[in-house]
Amino acid sequence: MIINNPQLQILEKGFLDIDVPPTLDLFEAINELKKQKKMIVLAHYYQEPDIQDVADYIGDSLGLAQKAAETDAEIIVFAGVHFMAETAKILNPNTKVLLPDLKAGCSLADSAPADLFKAFKAKHPDHLVVSYINCSAEIKALSDIICTSGNAEAIINSIPTNQPILFAPDKNLGAYLNKKTGREMLLWNGACMVHEIFSLQKLIQLKVRHPEAKFIAHPECEDAVLNIADFIGSTTQLLKYSSQSNASTFIVGTETGILHKMQQLSPNKTFIPAPPTNSCACNDCPHMKLNTLEKIYVCMQYEQPELTMDENLRLAALQPIKRMMEISKKAGLIG
Ligand code: 13P
Ligand code: SF4
């Protein structure tokens, strides 16, 4: 098929808008492409179930970064969001990184524009900058160490207690870490739209109706929500907890995509998504959900859209990620 000006289409839409025949078995077609090309499909737990089922590896942000760094595939197809694909490119520059929809962004990453953050950082020259991986490559380049929800506590605890820290961009994760580690980190005022949507009142009502249920939550949730959680952790840690716990019912305080793997690992357990504040909004991340099986197939076939990065920016962003990887390795943390 000939596409008229594919680069312009990608620029405008974020993806190649090519009709895929509805009769095509996408699972088979994707697996066939994987055999033909040296490709690996990496997917975050927040992707739709079909995408998780065709992925070669599913993980949280830490696991995905580790997998992207170590793969010898020639092409990484990243079923996730922009900052994740950027991290893969930073760690593995000689591999072609494809993102099925370049407009798959992140509200949390967007809450820290690089120019404003640079000015904020300049006001606190004595602070070490620790940034959550959910940020742009520009913010990473302005940071001293990166962390993920899976290793944040270990990263903070690796820093001498007398060293002031500026933590960005997630104020909820930052506040949680302050509580856990006893630090008083200065927090950038950013948040994730999905993890701020949970209704405390409805959650309490749900817990009353299901007294046997364990409420498990991601540390990007607000403090009041985390206060009533039985377990707090990254997506991988929540998954592990739900599969190993003796409880039979779980109220899940994170994006709904994770329920697919939870249910697969524990078919006899019940998983209830934590209730959002209003009846029409759901706990789906609109950015993560921009990826579809069709877009993944087209992207694998045409090897576009490709994520590219300025080499100086890549090198600057690499240093704080490398520090994170080293600390994680020492602590034996795998996502
Ligand atoms: P983790 O993958 O570290 O659990 O973070 C969740 C998230 O919000 C990713 O966008
Ligand atoms: Fe960003 Fe939140 Fe979506 Fe994760 S769930 S990609 S933090 S908006």
Side-chain angles (χ1 to χ4, degrees):
M1 183 185 292
I2 297 166
I3 321 151
N4 284 329
N5 207 337
Q7 290 316 321
L8 189 68
Q9 199 180 84
I10 288 172
L11 205 67
E12 279 172 2
K13 298 193 172 190
F15 62 96
L16 278 180
D17 193 5
I18 294 173
D19 283 340
V20 176
T23 49
L24 182 74
D25 182 336
L26 283 167
F27 291 87
E28 216 175 86
I30 287 173
N31 284 326
E32 195 48 46
L33 281 171
K34 277 199 234 169
K35 277 186 219 152
Q36 289 167 18
K37 311 187 190 197
K38 221 175 159 210
M39 283 182 162
I40 185 171
V41 179
L42 305 182
H44 190 269
Y45 287 119
Y46 294 166
Q47 293 295 290
E48 63 173 58
D50 282 352
I51 297 179
Q52 294 189 38
D53 290 346
V54 295
D56 297 295
Y57 175 83
I58 318 166
D60 66 0
S61 305
L62 177 60
L64 289 164
Q66 288 168 331
K67 201 75 192 172
E70 75 189 26
T71 184
D72 59 1
E74 282 162 15
I75 302 175
I76 294 174
V77 181
F78 213 112
V81 292
H82 199 270
F83 76 81
M84 294 178 173
E86 275 189 338
T87 307
K89 188 71 193 172
I90 293 165
L91 284 163
N92 205 333
N94 298 323
T95 302
K96 192 181 227 184
V97 176
L98 305 176
L99 184 62
D101 189 328
L102 281 182
K103 290 201 194 265
C106 167
S107 66
L108 178 53
D110 289 347
S111 65
D115 51 344
L116 295 183
F117 186 71
K118 197 174 176 185
F120 186 68
K121 179 185 161 176
K123 283 191 192 151
H124 305 281
D126 55 331
H127 283 56
L128 194 90
V129 178
V130 179
S131 293
Y132 187 33
I133 199 162
N134 300 31
C135 64
S136 65
E138 286 79 6
I139 296 293
K140 289 186 175 78
L142 290 165
S143 307
D144 296 295
I145 314 181
I146 299 301
C147 71
T148 72
S149 54
N151 62 21
E153 211 179 317
I155 300 280
I156 301 303
N157 284 333
S158 75
I159 300 166
T161 47
N162 59 354
Q163 169 63 56
I165 300 172
L166 193 172
F167 187 83
D170 191 355
K171 64 176 177 188
N172 293 321
L173 176 62
Y176 168 72
L177 290 168
N178 273 346
K179 252 192 192 174
K180 282 285 279 191
T181 62
R183 308 292 283 242
E184 287 181 6
M185 298 190 293
L186 184 62
L187 308 180
W188 179 263
N189 187 16
C192 158
M193 61 190 286
V194 179
H195 291 90
E196 286 217 315
I197 209 169
F198 302 118
S199 156
L200 184 62
Q201 197 186 347
K202 286 188 194 168
L203 258 169
I204 293 169
Q205 287 166 349
L206 199 59
K207 275 172 75 94
V208 169
R209 232 180 316 133
H210 298 276
E212 77 292 358
K214 295 278 183 210
F215 172 46
I216 57 177
H218 196 279
E220 286 175 28
C221 293
E222 289 173 313
D223 184 51
V225 166
L226 294 179
N227 278 341
I228 60 164
D230 297 295
F231 179 76
I232 298 166
S234 74
T235 42
T236 298
Q237 290 160 350
L238 297 178
L239 186 64
K240 198 168 163 200
Y241 179 86
S242 71
S243 69
Q244 292 178 351
S245 160
N246 290 330
S248 62
T249 308
F250 300 84
I251 301 168
V252 183
T254 189
E255 215 267 2
T256 47
I258 188 75
L259 268 69
H260 178 59
K261 202 31 104 194
M262 284 179 172
Q263 200 69 75
Q264 271 184 346
L265 290 185
S266 311
N268 298 322
K269 294 180 182 174
T270 304
F271 296 96
I272 309 169
T277 37
N278 58 42
S279 52
C280 56
C282 63
N283 319 341
D284 279 344
C285 170
H287 309 287
M288 287 277 183
K289 265 38 186 205
L290 278 181
N291 293 322
T292 62
L293 217 49
E294 282 84 355
K295 284 183 191 168
I296 289 182
Y297 167 70
V298 170
C299 151
M300 289 171 86
Q301 170 109 359
Y302 294 90
E303 299 185 17
Q304 289 189 62
E306 183 182 356
L307 190 134
T308 54
M309 192 178 296
D310 171 81
E311 183 60 5
N312 287 332
L313 174 62
R314 189 190 75 77
L315 290 173
L318 178 63
Q319 296 316 313
I321 300 179
K322 263 188 170 171
R323 276 177 214 123
M324 168 187 87
M325 300 294 252
E326 279 156 19
I327 298 167
S328 298
K329 203 171 166 191
K330 254 192 220 157
L333 292 167
I334 302 166

